[in-house]
Amino acid sequence: MFLIMRVITLGTAGMAPTRNRSLPSILLDYYGDVLLFDVGENTQRQLLKAGINRNRVSYIFITHWHADHTSGLPGLLHTMNANQANKELWIIGPKGTKKHVKAMLEAFEFKPDLLKLKILESSPKRVKTIFKTPLWRVIAAPMDHSIPINAYAFIENDKWKIEESLLDKSRLSRGPWLKQIQQGRSVRIKGRIITPEMVARHVKGRKVVVIMDTRPNNLAISLAKNADIAFIESMFSHKHLDRAIEAKHLTALEAAMIAMKAGIKKLVLIHISQRYKNPGVLLREARRVFPNTILPRDLDVFSVPKR
Ligand SMILES: [Zn+2]
Ligand SMILES: [Zn+2]
């Protein structure tokens, strides 16, 4: 297990797989908590190739129920259920998720018995926290596509980092009380109230954004605000804007505009169409607006450095 925060592009194709690209799935490993954003066909084999034990997947966030984003789900559930007893697995998606999971299980005559499925359905109207653990949270916002769809941002909890110089100045000795300070809580020591600001520096949590199929919209910009890294679909070149409008997708240029307006650090283009034999055109187009753009391959690993 790697004790870091990293993202792996398991699948970077859009609509149809190619020889080199699998259907959409983005994996986030946060110190051992493994989240998937979408589960396109072939996600299981991509997990194997990435060296991630599939039983470590505990949270599956579905952006929307188009088959290119969900066709890998039944197979993954089937194998996980056969492998692991009492494993809790969250499936979180937009309105309709409960119905879709039920229909899918019925279609495959499959009743998970060992796998403890937890399903959460949420279609917020604005940017909103929809899922929380003690260490991180996921916020979501609706996007503009042909069916209900969420975009997601993973946000690590803010932390307080003890500053040696401030601690020296306070003339307090180290002790277990510093743990509370690190969690942002004040403590009372010998009648004196010590606030986090007095001995520590506030460090904002890291933010990773996944925006799949959509037309440009303001909620995408608010959701992605100041992200460390954003994975944004870029199905078309701006030359094919008419097609992008018709199919409700982004062009590479539009993905870059979202990145620029949101003030993110790094943009990774995903959902790459087979239409472009040389997807370098998408990369060049995006870089004209947002230079720190990357066109990934499947199984690329992105570490998210500490702030
Ligand atoms: Zn799609
Ligand atoms: Zn779609």
Side-chain angles (χ1 to χ4, degrees):
M1 200 190 289
F2 288 83
L3 288 179
I4 52 168
M5 180 174 180
R6 59 179 180 157
V7 183
I8 306 177
T9 48
L10 295 180
T12 57
M15 279 292 284
T18 68
R19 286 163 68 98
N20 301 316
R21 293 185 191 275
S22 274
L23 287 178
S25 185
I26 303 293
L27 179 144
L28 171 64
D29 182 354
Y30 182 75
Y31 299 88
D33 277 355
V34 176
L35 295 76
L36 290 183
F37 294 93
D38 287 343
V39 201
E41 183 185 329
N42 203 39
T43 296
Q44 286 201 77
R45 292 199 69 221
Q46 294 299 82
L47 284 166
L48 281 168
K49 289 185 194 165
I52 304 278
N53 181 338
R54 65 173 84 82
N55 297 317
R56 282 183 47 215
V57 175
S58 297
Y59 310 92
I60 296 177
F61 288 83
I62 302 287
T63 60
H64 67 307
W65 281 88
H66 275 156
D68 50 332
H69 298 257
T70 52
S71 45
L73 189 56
L76 179 63
L77 295 187
H78 185 256
T79 322
M80 283 178 82
N81 186 60
N83 280 359
Q84 184 128 6
N86 293 316
K87 157 90 187 175
E88 194 176 88
L89 177 69
W90 282 91
I91 298 177
I92 298 144
K95 218 170 166 179
T97 290
K98 283 182 184 156
K99 180 186 82 185
H100 286 295
V101 171
K102 187 166 176 267
M104 186 188 75
L105 296 176
E106 273 168 19
F108 291 97
E109 301 229 6
F110 166 51
K111 279 196 193 74
D113 43 3
L114 300 175
L115 200 57
K116 303 273 173 281
L117 276 192
K118 302 255 192 176
I119 299 171
L120 176 74
E121 195 172 281
S122 181
S123 280
K125 292 206 164 51
R126 51 186 174 81
V127 179
K128 198 181 156 196
T129 298
I130 61 158
F131 195 81
K132 229 175 174 171
T133 76
L135 300 176
W136 48 266
R137 68 188 192 277
V138 169
I139 61 173
M143 293 291 109
D144 177 15
H145 194 44
S146 50
I147 59 170
I149 177 164
N150 289 338
Y152 297 110
F154 171 100
I155 305 173
E156 166 187 52
N157 287 356
D158 289 357
K159 290 193 178 88
W160 286 88
K161 215 171 159 189
I162 305 300
E163 286 280 320
E164 293 303 330
S165 57
L166 292 174
L167 190 61
D168 286 349
K169 224 160 66 185
S170 75
R171 295 173 190 280
L172 292 162
S173 47
R174 300 186 144 271
W177 62 277
L178 285 174
K179 277 244 168 341
Q180 299 204 43
I181 293 288
Q182 282 166 329
Q183 290 161 2
R185 297 207 299 264
S186 300
V187 287
R188 181 188 286 269
I189 298 174
K190 290 180 191 154
R192 211 173 130 198
I193 301 284
I194 311 297
T195 64
E197 290 84 355
M198 292 164 76
V199 290
R201 178 170 63 90
H202 184 237
V203 183
K204 263 192 114 34
R206 289 168 281 182
K207 184 173 182 182
V208 174
V209 170
V210 178
I211 298 176
M212 293 289 185
D213 311 7
T214 186
R215 289 296 301 144
N217 63 84
N218 287 335
L219 288 176
I221 298 164
S222 329
L223 183 90
K225 205 94 216 148
N226 301 327
D228 293 78
I229 187 166
F231 296 79
I232 304 185
E233 76 118 332
S234 135
M235 177 80 169
F236 291 98
S237 149
H238 211 66
K239 279 194 199 81
H240 299 124
L241 176 63
D242 51 337
R243 301 294 301 277
I245 292 171
E246 196 185 329
K248 294 214 156 205
H249 277 283
L250 292 173
T251 67
L253 185 82
E254 289 169 335
M257 293 288 286
I258 293 173
M260 187 191 66
K261 289 180 184 166
I264 69 169
K265 289 193 185 129
K266 186 185 282 188
L267 167 65
V268 184
L269 301 176
I270 49 169
H271 206 283
I272 305 302
S273 167
Q274 55 177 352
R275 165 192 312 266
Y276 303 102
K277 294 291 167 269
N278 173 15
V281 297
L282 302 173
L283 181 63
R284 285 193 291 279
E285 182 178 307
R287 278 187 175 165
R288 281 204 294 273
V289 173
F290 192 79
N292 197 10
T293 303
I294 286 170
L295 181 77
R297 286 171 301 190
D298 278 12
L299 304 175
D300 275 356
V301 181
F302 297 85
S303 62
V304 188
K306 280 191 176 153
R307 285 188 167 181

